Amino acid sequence: MGELRDKSVLKADIIAGITVALVLVPQSMAYAQLAGLPAYYGLYASFLPPMVAALFGSSRQLATGPVAMVSLMTATALAPIASQSGDGFLIYALILSLMVGVFQVALGLLRLGVLVDLLSHPVVVGFTNAGAIIIATSQLNKVLGVDKGAGDAHYESVYNTVLTALESTHMPTLYMSILALGIMIILKKYMPKVPNVLVAVVVTTVLAWYTGFSESGGKVVGNIPDGLPGLTIPTEFDMDIVMSLISYAIIISLVGFMEAIAIAKAMAVKTKQRLDANQELVGQGLSNLASGFFSGYPVSGSFSRSAVNINAGAVTGFSSVVTGIVVALTLLLLTPLLYHLPLATLASVIILAVANLVKFKPIVHAWKAEPHDGITAVITFLLTLYIAPHIEYGILVGVVLSIILFVIRFMRPRVAELSRYEDGTMRDIAVFPELEVSDKIALIRFDGSLFFANASYFEFKVLEVMANRPDLKYIILDAEGINQIDSSGEEVLSQVADRLTQNGVTLVVARMKRQFMQALRRTGLHEKMGEGNFFSRITYALDFVWDSLGDEYDRTTCPLRRLST
């Protein structure tokens, strides 16, 4: 952080750090409520983690702390424990954060950040949209001032909550929610530089105190322990419960880091800084360890606060250190002022924060780009909504489905028979059925690496061409799309060449890549098929075939002939 010697950089970082803290303090309390934890757990998770992530990560402007999606997954992980052990479940929030931290640090040190790529874009888009809807609807009872409706599934709970609200909505709570939302929306639109969340918190807290909101049945934050969180090392816990949290810890680790690295990459494009994904994993992991050891819960990089940080002029990670210091001062000096903060305000903060996450255009775009991706996104979205609160299964099914569809695509790559188009290029006759084909020569292109999963398919398609053309003498394989060939692919290629030879058809290969030819030379297949049957260009292969067919074959009428210019 040599830049801090520059007073202008130091000033910019201090201003940015304070600005982020003004957003983080109320947001963190809201997200802790979303996670099913006391509001002050959000403040604890906002004290050391931002500093640690900034000091040990690679991104200078990434703002780390409680975020909506990780808070929702934390709630999912802890809900069964909370129903069994009352307040005793709070210790498992710390343990979950420690588990997430250990997993992320291990991935970073082993340079396995590539595992995050298993979360494909369609899966993330589907899961994020569903998660945002689940988060927003989970706050309805707090906005309406009613008890949460019963139901095993989230949609049942929401339905029963609405039914309850029709009969017994607590009107002061509803008015407070509308006021908070109105303040945040109006300020965000007309006065974007004003910390709208902080203003809403201050106004509604003062109003709640002045009107006796809690005495009328409205729910408020209540007492927050004074002082900073101390070092906590969990010693008394049920090992069976800890083991049940492992799968949640892994999913939170991957989803949280994926969110963080996506934000960091977007900012790195603007700042032109170098970003190390594995170093960022270490930074995020250590921040989760710090959160776990100091009474917090799992954290990650925040979209909204990172945007505030970079827009406020943050240059180095010192801005996050300033943010942590401001949160510490809040815990030391300002907690009594938060007693009358309505939970309805925190619910409104959450709803507004996740509203921008609901975007269906990316799903439509994924469908247009590749229907399989669209299917993955839609299934992940619908399944996550249906099985909530067990949202971890939605993302797991999405990952498995995307991998299966990926494998299927590789098992059935495009095999195109080509013919000469009117502009002189070779085109797929399936796309241009008006193109003529030769009865003596077939030109086919295999668009994929030739390996064990698709070798049989390759064999079937080549032999199918031969079976459909009884007078065929030559098959030219355009191998430009074959990037790799494994032992299974090499064996099938050898068998295909033999089968064709037995039926009086010669296999000729054109436009081979170096790695393809190296494999054939190592196995001797190149020599077996004949040096003269391999050509660097399709033109050379056609010349060879036409010469071999002799004068009785009129190349001037061949559909594959070169057009005169």
Side-chain angles (χ1 to χ4, degrees):
M1 295 185 181
E3 298 96 331
L4 291 178
R5 296 174 184 173
D6 186 334
K7 290 184 179 180
S8 62
V9 172
L10 181 62
K11 180 181 178 181
D13 282 344
I14 291 174
I15 293 174
I18 294 173
T19 304
V20 171
L22 296 178
V23 177
L24 176 59
V25 169
Q27 259 194 4
S28 65
M29 298 174 69
Y31 290 150
Q33 292 278 306
L34 174 61
L37 302 168
Y40 58 85
Y41 266 60
L43 293 174
Y44 291 166
S46 304
F47 166 41
L48 285 177
M51 302 184 191
V52 174
L55 293 174
F56 293 96
S58 64
S59 176
R60 298 176 180 180
Q61 289 88 17
L62 182 65
T64 298
V67 296
M69 203 61 66
V70 169
S71 297
L72 175 62
M73 290 188 287
T74 299
T76 301
L78 299 178
I81 307 171
S83 63
Q84 297 172 12
S85 56
D87 290 342
F89 86 102
L90 295 177
I91 193 69
Y92 295 103
L94 281 62
I95 293 174
L96 181 62
S97 186
L98 294 175
M99 293 168 71
V100 170
V102 169
F103 188 73
Q104 288 181 330
V105 170
L107 287 182
L109 294 177
L110 294 173
R111 310 196 68 79
L112 294 176
V114 68
L115 287 179
V116 180
D117 293 339
L118 290 174
L119 295 172
S120 66
H121 178 68
V123 173
V124 173
V125 167
F127 180 75
T128 301
N129 275 279
I133 293 173
I134 293 168
I135 290 170
T137 52
S138 70
Q139 301 303 301
L140 284 177
N141 63 307
K142 294 175 184 176
V143 168
L144 299 171
V146 298
D147 292 332
K148 191 172 185 178
D152 294 332
H154 176 72
Y155 65 86
E156 293 176 341
S157 176
V158 171
Y159 178 75
N160 291 328
T161 298
V162 173
L163 287 182
T164 302
L166 292 175
E167 300 176 357
S168 55
T169 295
H170 186 248
M171 297 311 295
T173 298
L174 179 59
Y175 295 149
M176 198 69 77
S177 303
I178 294 172
L179 175 62
L181 281 170
I183 291 172
M184 289 186 287
I185 292 172
I186 291 172
L187 288 180
K188 184 177 181 180
K189 183 175 182 179
Y190 297 105
M191 303 176 69
K193 293 185 178 180
V194 176
N196 58 344
V197 175
L198 182 65
V199 172
V201 166
V202 171
V203 170
T204 55
T205 301
V206 171
L207 185 62
W209 166 75
Y210 181 75
T211 59
F213 178 70
S214 59
E215 286 79 10
S216 68
K219 295 183 179 180
V220 296
V221 168
N223 289 314
I224 296 177
D226 294 329
L228 301 177
L231 176 65
T232 303
I233 300 178
T235 54
E236 297 182 5
F237 51 83
D238 187 329
M239 197 60 193
D240 290 336
I241 293 179
V242 172
M243 294 301 292
S244 71
L245 293 176
I246 291 178
S247 60
Y248 292 103
I250 293 174
I251 293 174
I252 291 173
S253 299
L254 295 177
V255 172
F257 176 66
M258 177 219 63
E259 185 174 356
I261 198 65
I263 306 162
K265 285 180 178 178
M267 293 189 298
V269 171
K270 294 182 179 180
T271 61
K272 296 180 172 59
Q273 70 180 85
R274 179 180 174 275
L275 194 65
D276 185 336
N278 290 300
Q279 184 61 45
E280 197 58 51
L281 256 176
V282 172
Q284 290 294 306
L286 291 175
S287 69
N288 273 293
L289 288 174
S291 186
F293 280 126
F294 288 88
S295 302
Y297 72 99
V299 297
S300 181
S302 164
F303 279 106
S304 59
R305 295 193 300 273
S306 294
V308 169
N309 196 32
I310 195 169
N311 290 335
V315 179
T316 74
F318 184 68
S319 62
S320 292
V321 175
V322 174
T323 297
I325 292 172
V326 173
V327 173
L329 292 175
T330 301
L331 284 166
L332 289 170
L333 305 174
L334 303 179
T335 50
L337 301 179
L338 298 172
Y339 180 92
H340 290 283
L341 173 59
L343 295 186
T345 300
L346 296 181
S348 300
V349 169
I350 292 172
I351 291 173
L352 198 62
V354 301
N356 292 329
L357 296 179
V358 181
K359 297 177 181 178
F360 294 109
K361 284 186 178 180
I363 295 180
V364 175
H365 181 80
W367 193 291
K368 291 179 179 178
E370 170 54 61
H372 284 175
D373 289 344
I375 292 171
T376 300
V378 170
I379 290 178
T380 302
F381 171 73
L382 294 176
L383 185 63
T384 303
L385 279 180
Y386 179 72
I387 64 177
H390 304 292
I391 59 173
E392 71 279 6
Y393 296 119
I395 200 166
L396 284 175
V397 169
V399 169
V400 172
L401 181 61
S402 63
I403 292 174
I404 290 174
L405 292 176
F406 169 79
V407 172
I408 289 175
R409 286 201 296 269
F410 266 73
M411 290 177 66
R412 293 294 183 269
R414 187 175 186 82
V415 180
E417 182 174 358
L418 310 177
S419 189
R420 187 79 67 178
Y421 191 61
E422 59 186 16
D423 62 358
T425 60
M426 295 295 184
R427 300 291 183 92
D428 185 353
I429 64 172
V431 179
F432 299 94
E434 70 275 12
L435 296 180
E436 297 181 1
V437 296
S438 169
D439 59 341
K440 302 289 186 183
I441 310 166
L443 173 59
I444 62 174
R445 187 186 68 225
F446 189 75
D447 294 336
S449 294
L450 187 55
F451 67 117
F452 70 94
N454 61 28
S456 296
Y457 180 68
F458 168 78
E459 180 181 25
F460 170 77
K461 297 300 287 187
V462 173
L463 297 180
E464 182 182 45
V465 171
M466 181 189 70
N468 292 334
R469 309 264 272 282
D471 296 327
L472 202 63
K473 296 299 180 183
Y474 287 91
I475 290 181
I476 301 175
L477 172 63
D478 179 1
E480 184 187 31
I482 304 178
N483 296 314
Q484 299 287 342
I485 182 170
D486 68 0
S487 59
S488 299
E490 189 274 344
E491 179 66 23
V492 166
L493 183 61
S494 177
Q495 292 174 3
V496 167
D498 290 341
R499 289 279 300 276
L500 292 176
T501 300
Q502 292 168 10
N503 288 274
V505 180
T506 302
L507 179 63
V508 177
V509 185
R511 299 207 296 178
M512 312 77 61
K513 291 184 176 176
R514 183 169 178 266
Q515 54 268 35
F516 175 85
M517 290 305 296
Q518 284 179 329
L520 267 58
R521 287 193 176 98
R522 287 195 300 267
T523 61
L525 181 56
H526 173 264
E527 184 178 350
K528 174 186 172 183
M529 291 178 63
E531 177 77 30
N533 286 344
F534 292 87
F535 299 90
S536 59
R537 295 185 182 181
I538 293 176
T539 300
Y540 300 157
L542 284 170
D543 286 339
F544 166 76
V545 170
W546 286 328
D547 291 342
S548 300
L549 287 172
D551 295 336
E552 69 275 9
Y553 186 81
D554 185 3
R555 72 171 66 184
T556 62
T557 61
C558 177
L560 297 171
R561 71 189 184 282
R562 290 189 292 275
L563 302 180
S564 59
T565 56

